């Protein structure tokens, strides 16, 4: 179980204002300390969501890191090319450092991430507006359910990035959001959980 009520990742300000933030939530995920990296993490995430949990592929979108000139980090074309094996390119959305580069603090391990978003709107709503345009726009029914973080760098005290000697994966998926998606609800608070 996770509490995110202070620091860089503070969800408390969103609790009560939307359908998917909580003071406490249960985080699902997995870690790799040099055993596997982007190829496997993306393939397994897609397999779990679409083949095991049977989420409709036409309701899923993914984001990738668009790169950041200031940090000297290019677009994550590795993730882009891996995702093209599983999902149409128009459902792959380049996103900014704010949304798709994970770091816990001012120093330490960090890296680009790829998020998986699900569109839970009804068919009428989906016909009126493309879900792609609502990803990372705080829409209450187009939400991130899984984040795959690719730890490639160490952020130094001077702000520079140094490649890590081994590359790691840190993933996180909210159980409450997954339940909402699997049960076809439009709010975490309406699930059996």
């Amino acid at each position: 179980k996770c509490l995110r009520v202070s620091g860089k990742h503070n969800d408390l300000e969103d609790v009560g204002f939307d359908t998917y933030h909580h003071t406490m939530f249960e985080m699902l995920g997995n870690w790799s300390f040099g055993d596997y990296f982007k190829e496997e993490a993306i393939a397994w995430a897609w397999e779990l969501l679409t083949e095991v949990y049977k989420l409709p592929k036409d309701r899923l979108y993914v984001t990738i890191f668009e790169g950041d000139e200031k940090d000297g980090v290019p677009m994550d074309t590795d993730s882009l090319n891996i995702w093209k094996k599983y999902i149409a390119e128009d459902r792959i959305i380049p996103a900014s450092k704010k949304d798709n580069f994970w770091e816990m603090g001012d120093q330490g391990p960090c890296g680009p991430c790829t998020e998986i978003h699900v569109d839970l709107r009804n068919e009428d709503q989906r016909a009126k507006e493309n879900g792609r345009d609502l990803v990372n726009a705080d829409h209450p029914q187009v939400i991130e359910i899984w984040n795959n973080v690719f730890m490639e760098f160490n952020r130094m005290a001077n702000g520079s990035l140094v490649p890590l000697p081994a590359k790691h994966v840190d993933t996180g998926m909210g159980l409450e959001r997954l339940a909402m998606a699997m049960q076809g609800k439009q709010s975490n608070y309406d699930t059996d959980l």
Side-chain angles (χ1 to χ4, degrees), residues 16-31:
F17 294 100
D18 65 28
T19 59
Y20 55 95
H21 281 95
H22 301 279
T23 52
M24 178 178 278
F25 65 100
E26 191 156 345
M27 181 74 82
L28 308 173
N30 51 288
W31 289 82

Side-chain angles (χ1 to χ4, degrees), residues 64-188:
I64 61 157
F65 180 54
E66 69 184 7
D68 185 79
E69 191 174 313
K70 182 181 168 208
D71 276 338
V73 180
M75 175 185 273
D76 185 359
T77 53
D78 292 340
S79 290
L80 171 65
N81 291 327
I82 295 165
W83 274 120
K84 285 189 209 177
K85 299 176 187 178
Y86 304 103
I87 192 168
E89 194 166 353
D90 66 348
R91 292 179 165 274
I92 305 169
I93 304 162
S96 69
K97 179 178 176 179
K98 174 185 171 285
D99 289 315
N100 277 81
F101 192 91
W102 193 93
E103 46 194 330
M104 188 61 199
D106 295 332
Q107 290 178 243
C110 57
C113 56
T114 182
E115 301 168 335
I116 304 168
H117 297 253
V118 62
D119 185 347
L120 301 171
R121 297 174 300 152
N122 65 39
E123 293 302 328
D124 289 343
Q125 292 168 320
R126 291 178 68 213
K128 289 178 186 169
E129 188 169 12
N130 190 333
R132 176 189 171 92
D133 299 329
L134 301 175
V135 169
N136 280 334
D138 295 325
H139 191 284
Q141 279 85 48
V142 181
I143 61 165
E144 174 195 340
I145 57 172
W146 200 342
N147 190 6
N148 286 273
V149 180
F150 303 121
M151 298 292 195
E152 299 185 51
F153 304 106
N154 190 25
R155 174 82 66 187
M156 307 306 287
N158 66 5
S160 66
L161 294 174
V162 175
L164 289 170
K167 297 177 180 179
H168 311 294
V169 177
D170 169 11
T171 82
M173 175 168 53
L175 176 62
E176 297 83 0
R177 294 182 188 195
L178 178 63
M180 179 170 56
M182 290 180 68
Q183 294 173 22
K185 304 295 184 183
Q186 293 196 342
S187 168
N188 282 356

